[in-house]
């Protein structure tokens, strides 16, 4: 009997970490773990950039550099700021103690920040800017850590094609001269998440995603 109890104790000791659910992690640990993941496979390719989309997340619509993603009933709004990347805009950000969570992040030369605003009904507004791209989402507390982890993995994996972007932006240099570096300035925009939804959640049917733009790497 003592041997059985001893074996069970050893089993729990050595497997405890592996059975720990991601929802029990501290937010700072989630961020560090996500930044440390290296996704070598790219399964989404668009003009001038590409990235890795984790299993279970799919693109349901796209307009210009804005994409609407779906994961377990939650919508993520992804924006890739190729203008800031092209001009190598510097991040100017300081944490906000008034938010539920606010932190500047940096890893292997990439900069960004994570902001979480607590809302009503146990929901949270998540905003992550990293690697010249941004994801915003409105999720329940039970899905918050998963949303943080997946969002950072997506943003970390964004790879830019300098040659293609040089052609795209170079051909429209006059149009881009007035473009604001919306992700990398120090000003916080006024408004709510609903304002963002109203602006970006209306998509034209003519902008349907081409099948060849998304590689079936998750099958």
């Amino acid at each position: 009997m003592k041997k059985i109890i001893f074996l069970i104790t050893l089993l729990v000791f050595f497997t405890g970490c592996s059975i720990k659910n991601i929802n029990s992690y501290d937010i700072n640990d989630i961020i560090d773990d996500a930044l440390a993941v290296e996704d070598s496979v790219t399964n989404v390719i668009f003009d001038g950039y590409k990235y890795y989309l984790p299993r279970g997340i799919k693109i349901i619509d796209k307009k210009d550099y804005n994409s609407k993603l779906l994961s377990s009933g939650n919508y993520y709004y992804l924006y890739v700021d190729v203008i800031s990347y092209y001009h190598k805009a510097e991040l100017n950000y300081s944490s906000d103690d008034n938010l539920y969570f606010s932190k500047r992040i940096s890893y292997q030369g990439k900069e960004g920040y994570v902001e979480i605003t607590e809302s009503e009904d146990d929901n949270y507004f998540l905003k992550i800017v990293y690697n010249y791209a941004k994801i915003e989402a409105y999720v329940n507390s039970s899905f918050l850590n998963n949303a943080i982890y997946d969002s950072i993995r997506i943003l970390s994996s964004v790879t830019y094609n300098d040659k293609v972007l040089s052609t795209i932006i170079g051909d429209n240099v006059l149009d881009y001269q007035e473009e604001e570096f919306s992700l990398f300035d120090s000003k916080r925009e006024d408004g709510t998440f609903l304002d963002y939804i109203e602006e970006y959640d209306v998509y034209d049917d003519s902008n349907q995603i081409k099948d060849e733009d998304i590689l079936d790497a998750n099958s």
Side-chain angles (χ1 to χ4, degrees):
M1 183 65 181
K2 291 183 178 180
K3 289 183 177 180
I4 295 176
I5 295 176
F6 178 71
L7 290 174
I8 293 175
T9 302
L10 287 177
L11 181 63
V12 171
F13 177 79
F14 286 111
T15 62
C17 293
S18 63
I19 64 176
K20 186 177 181 180
N21 190 285
I22 193 173
N23 287 322
S24 65
Y25 281 29
D26 178 79
I27 292 178
N28 287 291
D29 293 334
I30 290 289
I31 293 173
D32 291 341
D33 289 349
L35 290 174
V37 174
E38 296 184 3
D39 294 308
S40 58
V41 177
T42 298
N43 54 12
V44 178
I45 303 174
F46 293 118
D47 288 343
Y49 66 97
K50 58 184 179 180
Y51 58 88
Y52 171 74
L53 205 59
R55 184 182 297 274
I57 303 178
K58 63 180 180 179
I59 303 175
I60 60 174
D61 223 331
K62 180 179 182 296
K63 179 181 179 181
D64 299 326
Y65 295 103
N66 296 280
S67 295
K68 184 178 179 182
L69 314 178
L70 178 64
S71 174
S72 301
N74 296 283
Y75 295 109
Y76 299 171
Y77 296 85
L78 167 66
Y79 172 60
V80 179
D81 191 352
V82 297
I83 306 302
S84 290
Y85 169 79
Y86 184 78
H87 292 284
K88 298 298 185 291
E90 294 185 2
L91 176 67
N92 184 5
Y93 178 81
S94 57
S95 60
D96 186 350
D97 294 335
N98 295 318
L99 298 179
Y100 175 80
F101 184 88
S102 174
K103 180 179 181 179
R104 179 167 179 155
I105 56 177
S106 177
Y107 187 74
Q108 294 185 344
K110 298 177 182 179
E111 303 285 339
Y113 60 86
V114 176
E115 286 188 345
I116 304 174
T117 305
E118 191 172 12
S119 184
E120 298 178 354
D121 301 324
D122 201 28
N123 291 318
Y124 294 85
F125 171 52
L126 173 66
K127 178 180 179 181
I128 302 179
V129 171
Y130 186 67
N131 189 26
Y132 297 102
K134 173 178 68 173
I135 285 182
E136 292 186 341
Y138 188 67
V139 299
N140 185 266
S141 61
S142 62
F143 201 79
L144 178 61
N145 284 359
N146 295 84
I148 296 171
Y149 184 80
D150 286 338
S151 296
I152 292 179
R153 286 189 65 189
I154 294 171
L155 297 177
S156 298
S157 71
V158 176
T159 304
Y160 299 91
N161 188 319
D162 292 341
K163 183 178 295 186
V164 173
L165 290 179
S166 178
T167 301
I168 294 174
I169 298 176
D171 289 345
N172 301 277
V173 63
L174 295 179
D175 295 333
Y176 286 122
Q177 281 180 344
E178 301 299 324
E179 189 80 18
E180 293 185 6
F181 299 153
S182 58
L183 301 188
F184 285 78
D185 60 18
S186 59
K187 297 184 298 181
R188 286 187 172 86
E189 297 179 1
D190 294 330
T192 66
F193 183 64
L194 293 179
D195 296 329
Y196 182 85
I197 294 293
E198 182 177 355
E199 180 178 358
Y200 291 110
D201 198 24
V202 179
Y203 288 86
D204 189 342
D205 290 339
S206 63
N207 290 301
Q208 294 297 318
I209 301 169
K210 300 177 183 179
D211 291 337
E212 59 267 23
D213 288 334
I214 303 177
L215 306 180
D216 191 13
N218 289 331
S219 59

